Amino acid sequence: MQQALIELPPPEPRHIECDGVDNPVAQVILDVPIYHLDQPFDYLIPAHLAQRAHVGMRVKIPLGRNVYEGWIIQRSSTTTHQGKLAPLRSVIGQIPPLTRSLYELACHLAQRNITTVSDVLTAAIPARHARSEQQLLDEIGLFSPPGLTRLPDADTPLTQMFSTLPSFAQLPAVDMTVLQGYGGGQEFLRSIQEGKNPRALCDVVPDPLKGGRGPFNIFAEGVLAALASQRKALLIVPTHDHAIELAKTIQRRIPGQTVTLLSSNLEPGPRYRSYLQCLLGRTRIAVGTVSAAMVPMNRLGFIGLYDDGDERLRMRRSPFLHARHIVTERAHREQAALLCAGYTRSLYTHFLYSSGWITALKAQRRLIAKSAPTVQVLDPMDDPSDGKAAFARFPPRAHSILSNGLETGPVVVLVPHTGYVPVVGCMSCGACGRCPQCGGRIELLGSGGFRCFVCGYKRQRYQCYQCQGTRLKAYRIGSERTGEELGRMFPGVPITVSSSRSVVVEHVGTKPRIVISTPFATPYTDEGYSAGVIVDAQSWLRRNDLDAAEQTMRAWQLLGTYLRGQAPLAIVGWPGAHVAQAMQRWDSALLCQELLKEHHELHLPPAYFTARLTGQRHDVSAILHSSELPQHTERLGPVACEGKPEVYQGVVRIEHRYAQELAKVLHQIQNRRSLHRLRPVKVYVDPLRL
């Protein structure tokens, strides 16, 4: 009997009539992050809402005993629902915020990242701000969305207001020399100017002039080339400060053009207004963070992504999308040019390059030799003349580099950890130092005693939980302790500590000074640092993250951009052959090439599509042993999570060419589990730690 019910044909559509309403059936996507509700539902459009319930509008609808919000994706006169259709409760707003291109993009991203369409749309569409919407309508005048039955195409603006923007003829000429010295760079800009859609990555060489040929200047020329081809531009950066800086760079290069800023740091009013400006075609240039990567823009011709290896380009909350996945998909769907540029290359963009999907604008060796710092790896085994001093944290050669640099300007020392002594252990048994109150990790304080990272518990005397020892040993040295060491080595020289956990110094002068910085907290100086030293090279690579080597290279190369051209940059310790060679040649592609080989051999992302499952042991095991998974799927686990014995995790992975197949099956499994009210299993795609 059950098999017979399953094999029943789908119900035939029936015609619905409502007095005074054309196409009275609205298909609505619910704004509910529940898998089995992630599908269109049919509702009746009452007569008093017929003139407001446009396709793409946000509405309130009943479901059971509750009222939810959703988006209208289609209007028709038929339905397959055999019962009575529930009417819409209300229509929210006056401008429909959803377009067909955004909806189709959200469907693709939801399936790939094993999440719901509503989760993606919630991340893409800012919360409505009624006052900002009304102010924009007052500027526009009479506003009447087109009477569509389906979501409008990406190239169909909701209103024809594009002519109100400044003329394209008022643009300066594209400066092709900004990519001089990069193989294929000028051809790339010329292709955009001709209306084509090339895709490229560019490892930008540090600019000795500090502002002449940086990534933002290259993006500005790409925007100018897109405007010259009668198209628009979208630029994505990691932080709000980056967005402001890039917007200023573009406005200096293209006077008279308005740059729309989109960022989660903005207040709700300006953020929603900026979204509507892009949606209605009232801006040609948009700059924002990861939340802006999906903003609808008709006639999009150029997409720029800065420093895609920065983890701040990944959403911190569900749906955990990364900006590079969004922009690469948009470039493919909307036939737009794409440029991923930064001072270092990420493993993912190198994977796209190795697959032939994207080209590389490679800097010529003479340009690198002229602009990049001179890297020296101070391996203690290379120079036995220093004796035991070669194994010191600051060996004689590093001391000499800092001394010589202080004669002409400030110098910078990069340390991997903040704090005083952030990682300690028992001197007797070697056990890691733990808080006696909560068991969290502790650090030594410069004033004496220790402090817990988790609960903030402070105490002067420590007692080991294993051997009852009372003496602690430093396993890691932080920025504050490094400042004390350098203060004793260079008496009378000013010391500045810039730490991401305490105080980030924005700018230092050009006088001699020692700056101690943690990763990505280095202060800017107008003329550049005269020398740099990176200490504790081995500890940078001891993290358990899959991208430890990649992020280490990124942090070190970013430090090199703050140095003067050909200034010495010393790495104390041996970071490994691949990292050392890539740094000395200033070529992150060398490291990515070796890492990609390893990831292919070890079946790690991005070579393999990987999903981590987290939940109760029985539930994780049920998915791992499901017969629905594709034939080539590798299944690992389940194993108990570290520190959470009641939570288990498993891993499923498959070759990248089968990624869509595995993602589709996992999405279907999540839908079925949600429908049957089974315990939830969290799925995280492309995790950094397994």
Side-chain angles (χ1 to χ4, degrees), residues 351 355 600 606-610 630 632 653-663:
F351 174 73
S355 65
H600 271 292
Y608 273 62
F609 177 81
T610 305
H632 305 288
R653 58 191 185 188
I654 200 169
E655 288 185 59
H656 200 273
R657 53 179 172 169
Y658 303 116
Q660 291 185 357
E661 185 179 351
L662 177 58

Side-chain angles (χ1 to χ4, degrees), residues 334-382:
E334 303 181 36
Q335 296 298 299
L338 173 65
L339 177 61
C340 299
Y343 291 109
T344 188
R345 181 181 304 188
S346 74
L347 187 59
Y348 184 84
T349 52
H350 185 78
F351 174 73
L352 295 178
Y353 168 70
S354 64
S355 65
W357 191 85
I358 197 170
T359 60
L361 310 180
K362 296 182 179 179
Q364 299 174 359
R365 293 307 308 175
R366 59 177 179 84
L367 179 61
I368 296 175
K370 176 183 177 182
S371 304
T374 304
V375 179
Q376 306 175 36
V377 179
L378 306 184
D379 184 4
M381 305 302 294
D382 287 345

Side-chain angles (χ1 to χ4, degrees), residues 505-527:
V505 180
E506 298 292 339
H507 185 273
V508 294
T510 59
K511 295 182 179 180
R513 169 184 299 274
I514 298 178
V515 175
I516 297 135
S517 169
T518 56
F520 314 116
T522 306
Y524 181 79
T525 180
D526 295 329
E527 298 180 2

Side-chain angles (χ1 to χ4, degrees), residues 65-136:
R65 297 181 180 180
N66 300 317
V67 177
Y68 298 98
E69 293 186 0
W71 296 273
I72 300 177
I73 62 172
Q74 185 175 338
R75 285 182 61 166
S76 65
S77 59
T78 61
T79 180
T80 57
H81 182 67
Q82 298 304 303
K84 182 180 179 180
L85 292 180
L88 300 177
R89 288 290 181 90
S90 61
V91 178
I92 303 174
Q94 305 176 64
I95 301 177
L98 181 62
T99 64
R100 191 172 82 175
S101 61
L102 175 56
Y103 176 67
E104 292 176 350
L105 177 66
C107 291
H108 171 82
L109 294 174
Q111 180 169 295
R112 188 208 177 272
N113 287 271
I114 327 298
T115 185
T116 62
V117 175
S118 67
D119 246 1
V120 180
L121 291 178
T122 301
I125 303 175
R128 175 178 176 261
H129 194 268
R131 183 181 301 174
S132 298
E133 183 182 61
Q134 188 59 51
Q135 289 175 352
L136 185 60

Side-chain angles (χ1 to χ4, degrees), residues 122-152:
T122 301
I125 303 175
R128 175 178 176 261
H129 194 268
R131 183 181 301 174
S132 298
E133 183 182 61
Q134 188 59 51
Q135 289 175 352
L136 185 60
L137 290 175
D138 293 340
E139 295 175 10
I140 293 173
L142 182 63
F143 178 81
S144 178
L148 302 174
T149 58
R150 294 178 180 272
L151 291 169

Side-chain angles (χ1 to χ4, degrees), residues 200-207 213-220 234-247 249-250 286-290 293 302-314 322-325 327-328 338-346 349 358 520 524 550-551 554-555 557-562:
L201 65 89
C202 182
D203 302 331
V204 182
V205 177
D207 176 27
R213 289 188 178 183
F216 287 0
N217 300 86
I218 297 175
F219 282 136
L234 172 65
L235 303 166
I236 305 300
V237 293
T239 67
H240 181 69
D241 291 338
H242 286 134
I244 294 176
E245 183 182 352
L246 178 55
T249 301
I250 294 174
V287 179
T289 54
V290 58
F302 175 68
I303 303 176
L305 179 62
Y306 171 67
D307 194 10
D308 71 291
D310 195 322
E311 271 306 304
R312 290 172 293 188
L313 286 170
R314 183 190 291 270
H322 199 290
R324 62 183 167 224
H325 294 302
V327 300
T328 51
L338 173 65
L339 177 61
C340 299
Y343 291 109
T344 188
R345 181 181 304 188
S346 74
T349 52
I358 197 170
F520 314 116
Y524 181 79
E550 176 188 345
Q551 291 298 329
R554 177 171 165 266
Q557 285 200 311
L558 183 60
L559 177 71
T561 64
Y562 290 91

